[in-house]
């Protein structure tokens, strides 16, 4: 929480300035700070759709947002998404725990006890590595795609 608040402050932002929060999946380490963003619509994957919860706690389903491409990924768990955005002719993928670390991008078949379906996970990783120039990992920040 402290790191997040510090990063917002460094960018002249406060939690109430944020109006959309996108959760790639609902593991606690990825949603813990949602409570800070009281003015935000919270978006997360649910089955084969993406749900948005408004301030009143009502859910609506969305297919996408301008400038972002949402894609279901499988293997880490069932309800999971990756997000692609292109900036300055580079495609970035917010890969969450599909590619949690740089090692996951280098060793595509790397196993971890937290993944539900290893074969689907490898397929999802290969798709990201095929489509992204840069990968925003689940736990190590931004890395350059080692295949490019």
């Amino acid at each position: 929480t402290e790191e997040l608040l510090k990063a917002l402050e460094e960018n002249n932002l406060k939690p109430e300035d944020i109006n959309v929060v996108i959760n790639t999946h609902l593991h606690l380490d990825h949603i813990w700070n949602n409570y800070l963003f009281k003015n935000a619509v919270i978006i997360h994957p649910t089955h084969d759709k993406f749900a948005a919860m408004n301030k009143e706690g009502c859910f609506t389903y969305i297919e996408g947002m301008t400038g972002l491409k949402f894609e279901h990924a499988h293997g880490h768990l069932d309800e999971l998404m990756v997000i692609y955005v292109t900036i300055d002719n580079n495609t970035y993928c917010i890969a969450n725990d599909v590619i949690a670390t740089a090692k996951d991008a280098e060793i595509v078949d790397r196993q971890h006890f937290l993944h539900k379906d290893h074969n689907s996970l490898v397929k999802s990783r290969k798709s990201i590595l095929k489509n992204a120039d840069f990968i925003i990992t689940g736990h190590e920040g931004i890395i350059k795609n080692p295949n490019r």
Side-chain angles (χ1 to χ4, degrees):
T1 302
E2 289 176 17
E3 287 180 40
L4 177 60
L5 291 172
K6 182 180 176 188
L8 287 169
E9 186 178 324
E10 288 170 357
N11 288 282
N12 298 313
L13 292 168
K14 297 177 286 216
E16 53 269 18
D17 296 330
I18 306 301
N19 57 19
V20 176
V21 171
I22 301 173
N23 296 314
T24 56
H25 62 294
L26 299 179
H27 281 170
L28 188 58
D29 60 326
H30 292 265
I31 64 169
W32 180 261
N33 288 305
N34 281 356
Y35 75 94
L36 293 171
F37 305 103
K38 299 187 184 335
N39 295 329
V41 171
I42 308 292
I43 298 172
H44 66 272
T46 175
H47 301 292
D48 286 325
K49 296 182 179 176
F50 305 107
M53 184 168 57
N54 64 23
K55 293 175 217 164
E56 291 78 37
C58 300
F59 286 93
T60 57
Y61 291 101
I62 60 169
E63 292 302 321
M65 295 175 64
T66 304
L68 300 176
K69 179 185 170 201
F70 295 88
E71 186 176 285
H72 279 279
H74 301 281
H76 183 57
L77 56 132
D78 290 334
E79 296 173 351
L80 179 74
M81 69 176 150
V82 297
I83 305 158
Y84 291 94
V85 61
T86 300
I87 302 169
D88 297 330
N89 295 318
N90 287 305
T91 300
Y92 292 79
C93 179
I94 302 169
N96 64 69
D97 287 344
V98 174
I99 297 180
T101 68
K103 266 296 192 233
D104 294 336
E106 294 167 10
I107 306 170
V108 176
D109 65 348
R110 184 172 186 239
Q111 292 197 11
H112 190 279
F113 72 95
L114 287 176
H115 299 308
K116 183 175 180 180
D117 177 349
H118 182 70
N119 291 332
S120 293
L121 178 72
V122 169
K123 184 177 176 183
S124 294
R125 284 179 179 165
K126 286 180 179 179
S127 177
I128 292 167
L129 291 167
K130 177 183 174 191
N131 294 303
D133 299 303
F134 293 90
I135 301 161
I136 303 171
T137 67
H139 292 276
E140 286 186 353
I142 300 173
I143 61 169
K144 184 165 177 31
N145 184 339
N147 293 342
R148 296 194 180 205

